[in-house]
Amino acid sequence: MMRSPSFKQALATSLFIGASLYSHIAFSQGSVKPSVVVETKIRNIDGVAAVVNTGFVTRKEIDDRVAALQKQGGKLPDPATLRKTVLERLIIEKIQMQNAQQDGVTVSNSELDKIINDIAAKNKLTLAELKVKIAATEGSYQRYRDLLREDIIISRYREREVEGKIKISDAEVDNFITDRNREAASVGTSASAARSTPAAKGAPEEIDVAQIFIPVEASAGPGAQAEGKKKADALLREAKGDVDFLQLGAMAAKENPKIKFQALGYRTPDRLPQLFYEAIRNTGSGQVANVVVKSPAGYHVLKVLDRRALLAGAPEPQQAAPQNAVPSTPQNIMVTQTLSRHILLRSRAGLIDQDAERRLAGYRDQVRAKTADFAELAKKHSEDGSAANGGNLGWMGPGDLVPEFDQAMNRLQIGDVSDPVKSEFGWHLIQVLERREAQLTVEKQRQFARAAIRERKFEQAYQDWLRELRDTATVKIINADDPASSPR
């Protein structure tokens, strides 16, 4: 549903609205090689925390980011862990900025002027009044311009690089539709449904695996890692009991939108992640893997739904299906479709829930008071691929959107604007434009499947890209623990 961000300059402009201007913007210095005088000044005044390729991260930058996070409120780790986490974030931002500049990603002065004028107009200020407000919060209008320019450059570079890494095959689309129909058919059925004929020892086979995934970033601190492992262990204990794994996964995802439940469908061992296959190699049909699987993305609780023989040149055996099962082949069906648009603020480090909810509530109040147009707000502030079209998501049928979004949208009358809604993608503001009864064609199902797969792949592609950037950069950490005012 929600595409990767394609107009991140809208994100940059939206950060102005609120208690502070760009309190959590990327405080990177760029990739311009410093002169000896500048280098000496940085070392003497701020103190260098890390050398990143040809640039620096200073202790003053860490102090500023920590202060901004503390000002936002919310639960933060202990000071030492917080400084290390902030330093790592600044290093990543520095690398992105350097690479973006080397690749020629720029923002012209005229573009920047237009964005700043839009910010002023959005806040019902003249440019002169905006400068006064910036001086009271940022201290320098020129610094504000520099930070805004850097944030837009990084956002454009990130979009270009990550989007290019996502590839979706027709086979993946076919499997997605088939799996979805099979999951729908399994609702209300017992976990003890008939199993396929197992493969003889050593013979080719296909394995139907489902997972409950608890995401934890590789860069997360020990506390977050321990919390993720604790939750995964608890789910594994429940899964080994007398419960339906499909229902357990659905409930876990409902209670915590960050947790994802996924049926991978029938796959040969070479098409399963190696970590998964090693964990379920000797696990029989209907059994749960003995241990939680740890990957760079988080923790996985696995269950083998079925194992079946794969005979070369012979038709694949069919799994026994309940009488009311949904056909595995997509059919044209009549559904109620909703035309809606939204503004999305994606979940990310530095954006706490209270801040995202407050910003969207402000946009909602403006639309309801008819002082702002929803589409224009979406173009400027939404962090979704639909931003260019005013947040328009097109006609969507039942189940095409994540449950939280779908439920909130279905409660709205035509023309209504929702309160802020949280999903696994972030925070949404939703407006319903129209409804209709329509036939959902096979081709439309394929379009929806492709969009869903892209969204699912985006986060993993983004994290892989960040790790690749970090691994290929030359980074030397000098002193991250002491604030800038402390003597070296």
Side-chain angles (χ1 to χ4, degrees):
M1 173 198 70
M2 274 57 86
R3 295 287 305 282
S4 55
S6 61
F7 281 82
K8 285 300 179 97
Q9 63 268 38
L11 162 62
T13 61
S14 68
L15 296 179
F16 169 76
I17 302 171
S20 63
L21 291 170
Y22 282 84
S23 60
H24 57 278
I25 201 170
F27 289 92
S28 58
Q29 296 293 322
S31 63
V32 179
K33 293 184 179 180
S35 65
V36 175
V37 175
V38 173
E39 179 180 341
T40 303
K41 182 178 180 181
I42 291 175
R43 289 182 179 277
N44 291 341
I45 296 178
D46 292 335
V48 173
V51 178
V52 184
N53 294 326
T54 59
F56 298 99
V57 172
T58 67
R59 288 186 285 164
K60 177 65 165 56
E61 289 178 287
I62 300 176
D63 293 348
D64 290 343
R65 183 67 64 87
V66 168
L69 291 172
Q70 291 171 337
K71 185 177 179 180
Q72 291 175 23
K75 186 177 180 181
L76 295 173
D78 63 88
T81 301
L82 178 60
R83 289 189 70 84
K84 286 182 172 61
T85 302
V86 167
L87 172 61
E88 188 61 30
R89 176 66 60 179
L90 288 168
I91 288 172
I92 291 293
E93 290 170 358
K94 180 81 66 177
I95 297 168
Q96 291 180 76
M97 187 63 188
Q98 291 171 344
N99 289 1
Q101 290 180 331
Q102 290 173 5
D103 285 3
V105 181
T106 62
V107 175
S108 68
N109 287 332
S110 60
E111 283 183 281
L112 194 60
D113 289 340
K114 184 179 184 305
I115 291 171
I116 293 175
N117 285 328
D118 287 343
I119 293 173
K122 176 65 187 65
N123 288 273
K124 300 179 180 177
L125 299 171
T126 66
L127 184 58
E129 290 170 336
L130 176 64
K131 290 181 178 180
V132 171
K133 194 165 183 108
I134 290 171
T137 55
E138 295 292 313
S140 165
Y141 176 67
Q142 185 58 47
R143 177 169 176 76
Y144 174 80
R145 283 179 61 90
D146 292 341
L147 294 177
L148 177 56
R149 188 195 303 271
E150 289 180 4
D151 191 63
I152 297 170
I153 289 173
I154 289 175
S155 297
R156 289 179 178 178
Y157 175 64
R158 180 188 305 133
E159 175 201 352
R160 187 188 73 181
E161 292 296 306
V162 177
E163 279 286 344
K165 293 180 181 292
I166 300 176
K167 307 297 182 185
I168 302 172
S169 67
D170 289 340
E172 287 179 289
V173 174
D174 293 337
N175 289 337
F176 182 93
I177 295 174
T178 300
D179 291 345
R180 181 168 162 178
N181 288 332
R182 184 176 58 79
E183 289 170 28
S186 69
V187 175
T189 63
S190 169
S192 61
R195 303 292 174 185
S196 301
T197 302
K201 186 174 182 180
E205 69 170 344
E206 287 185 314
I207 310 172
D208 188 7
V209 180
Q211 69 158 329
I212 304 173
F213 170 46
I214 300 89
V216 180
E217 289 189 12
S219 60
Q225 294 286 348
E227 186 65 27
K229 180 65 162 59
K230 180 180 177 182
K231 180 62 177 177
D233 287 339
L235 288 169
L236 178 62
R237 286 193 296 271
E238 289 188 67
K240 288 183 175 181
D242 187 20
V243 299
D244 187 296
F245 191 79
L246 302 178
Q247 294 179 1
L248 176 64
M251 287 298 298
K254 183 176 181 181
E255 292 172 2
N256 183 349
K258 291 185 178 180
I259 295 178
K260 298 180 180 180
F261 171 70
Q262 180 187 19
L264 303 181
Y266 284 100
R267 300 189 183 188
T268 53
D270 62 298
R271 291 182 56 229
L272 284 169
Q274 186 65 25
L275 287 172
F276 287 15
Y277 182 62
E278 292 301 327
I280 55 91
R281 181 193 295 269
N282 299 314
T283 304
S285 295
Q287 296 181 350
V288 178
N290 289 326
V291 296
V292 170
V293 174
K294 174 69 172 70
S295 77
Y299 297 90
H300 310 257
V301 180
L302 305 176
K303 180 173 183 176
V304 176
L305 301 178
D306 193 18
R307 304 180 86 117
R308 69 185 185 188
L310 177 64
L311 301 178
E316 294 184 356
Q318 300 298 313
Q319 182 177 2
Q323 290 182 349
N324 296 325
V326 176
S328 60
T329 302
Q331 305 288 319
N332 290 355
I333 56 175
M334 295 300 296
V335 295
T336 299
Q337 292 183 327
T338 302
L339 179 64
S340 67
R341 55 190 179 189
H342 78 145
I343 300 171
L344 170 66
L345 301 182
R346 283 187 177 272
S347 299
R348 63 182 183 280
L351 179 65
I352 59 176
D353 285 347
Q354 296 93 321
D355 188 36
E357 191 172 8
R358 175 185 55 77
R359 286 168 55 189
L360 289 179
Y363 303 153
R364 174 204 61 199
D365 294 343
Q366 293 175 53
V367 174
R368 289 178 177 176
K370 301 187 184 305
T371 58
D373 179 72
F374 194 102
E376 291 303 314
L377 291 175
K379 288 178 181 179
K380 292 180 180 179
H381 306 302
S382 184
E383 300 165 27
D384 181 54
S386 65
N389 296 322
N392 195 313
L393 295 170
W395 290 100
M396 294 290 176
D400 292 324
L401 307 171
V402 290
E404 301 83 359
F405 191 106
D406 206 15
Q407 293 165 13
M409 180 183 70
N410 290 338
R411 288 193 295 266
L412 296 174
Q413 299 297 318
I414 295 175
D416 285 353
V417 178
S418 72
D419 293 330
V421 177
K422 186 177 182 181
S423 79
E424 63 187 85
F425 300 103
W427 283 87
H428 311 259
L429 193 66
I430 309 166
Q431 184 179 42
V432 169
L433 301 176
E434 195 176 344
R435 285 194 173 94
R436 71 182 183 187
E437 292 295 318
Q439 188 178 65
L440 188 62
T441 64
V442 173
E443 182 55 36
K444 183 62 67 174
Q445 291 186 56
R446 294 186 67 82
Q447 292 176 14
F448 291 158
R450 191 172 292 276
I453 295 169
R454 179 175 294 278
E455 189 61 46
R456 189 174 66 195
K457 286 186 171 186
F458 176 81
E459 184 61 28
Q460 186 60 52
Y462 176 58
Q463 295 302 327
D464 291 343
W465 177 68
L466 288 183
R467 281 191 290 272
E468 181 182 343
L469 286 182
R470 183 65 168 83
D471 291 343
T472 56
T474 301
V475 178
K476 180 179 181 181
I477 297 176
I478 299 174
N479 178 17
D481 297 332
D482 298 327
S485 57
S486 301
R488 289 292 302 274

